[in-house]
Amino acid sequence: FHSLTSSASYSELVTRMRRQTCAAGARVERIESGGLSLSAPGGQRVWLPWPVLGLSEAPNHQGQQSGSSKAAVSLRWRLHCVDPDSGSGAFQVGGANHWRLVAQVGSRGIVPEAQSLRTGILEVGLDLEVGATIGLVLLSGARPQRLRLAAPLTCCLEHRQGFDRGAACLCGEDIVRSARAAVVAMKSPAHSAPMEAAAYAARWGVLVDLEAAASAVESNDSR
């Protein structure tokens, strides 16, 4: 992702993070077939569709509460973890690199609260009940940014959101605006006139960056 992030978009990302609203805990109100319905401090309502979570497999619903709502759900993630200082012998998979997390009614969040990251393929399982509390970081407008699993691991939700919001998170709002301007320019009558190589590269470059970000958003194989 670093290749998609200019210095301007990085500064923009830092500014946005400083303005974010951190929810101490969001309560799971309903578990639906399409995602989670949460209530955050201040009365904010948050909807988390399953694709935003970047799960490695479909949610496993358990029990029936009322109507289409379920009483509990099991969520699974598969993450590639790399420590630059580790060697090939440190690569861990399977049971040696597996977290089992639980969020139940009455608990103060997801437990255990902290785990250790190891180089390899980390498999994370979260058993979640209706009425449980989970840690959530929200942007303005009650838009979810991150889900706190177990320290030091958080799940980015912002880059998987639709309507170009996910791509903008990765490549920056400036790239998105430039891409939209390039599309408008290509549809104008003046576009048929000869174009210098530098202008041509600049116009298509932003579209390529945006497409690369969109491809990253669609990938569920997280790193």
Side-chain angles (χ1 to χ4, degrees):
F1 298 152
H2 294 293
S3 61
L4 302 176
T5 308
S6 65
S7 58
S9 61
Y10 176 77
S11 176
E12 179 182 298
L13 176 62
V14 171
T15 300
R16 185 168 67 245
M17 291 180 69
R18 286 174 178 170
R19 293 175 180 173
Q20 70 192 13
T21 301
C22 296
R27 186 179 186 274
V28 179
E29 297 292 342
R30 294 175 66 87
I31 298 175
E32 303 284 356
S33 59
L36 297 174
S37 177
L38 311 173
S39 61
Q44 299 181 95
R45 295 289 178 174
V46 181
W47 171 248
L48 285 185
W50 300 128
V52 170
L53 294 176
L55 303 172
S56 60
E57 58 187 68
N60 181 16
H61 296 87
Q62 303 165 6
Q64 192 78 17
Q65 190 182 38
S66 61
S68 62
S69 181
K70 305 299 181 180
V73 67
S74 293
L75 308 177
R76 299 289 181 266
W77 289 267
R78 186 174 184 269
L79 310 171
H80 292 238
C81 300
V82 178
D83 182 348
D85 296 327
S86 63
S88 57
F91 195 88
Q92 301 289 329
V93 297
N97 208 0
H98 180 270
W99 293 4
R100 184 178 182 276
L101 309 176
V102 179
Q104 299 175 317
V105 178
S107 65
R108 299 183 61 183
I110 295 175
V111 293
E113 296 181 353
Q115 294 276 25
S116 298
L117 289 174
R118 297 187 180 95
T119 291
I121 299 176
L122 170 63
E123 296 182 5
V124 179
L126 171 61
D127 295 330
L128 183 64
E129 292 183 352
V130 169
T133 300
I134 58 177
L136 199 64
V137 178
L138 299 175
L139 296 169
S140 60
R143 288 191 295 118
Q145 186 193 54
R146 284 177 287 149
L147 169 64
R148 296 172 178 171
L149 293 173
L153 181 62
T154 60
C155 177
C156 177
L157 309 175
E158 185 181 10
H159 81 280
R160 296 184 183 278
Q161 297 180 39
F163 302 103
D164 290 339
R165 288 195 294 266
C169 169
L170 295 178
C171 63
E173 292 285 353
D174 53 339
I175 294 292
V176 174
R177 286 192 294 266
S178 297
R180 290 172 179 164
V183 171
V184 172
M186 288 177 182
K187 293 180 178 179
S188 68
H191 179 63
S192 58
M195 187 183 302
E196 293 183 359
Y200 181 87
R203 183 166 294 179
W204 278 101
V206 293
L207 297 178
V208 171
D209 284 345
L210 192 59
E211 180 62 25
S215 297
V217 169
E218 293 174 357
S219 173
N220 281 336
D221 198 10
S222 302
R223 287 176 172 79

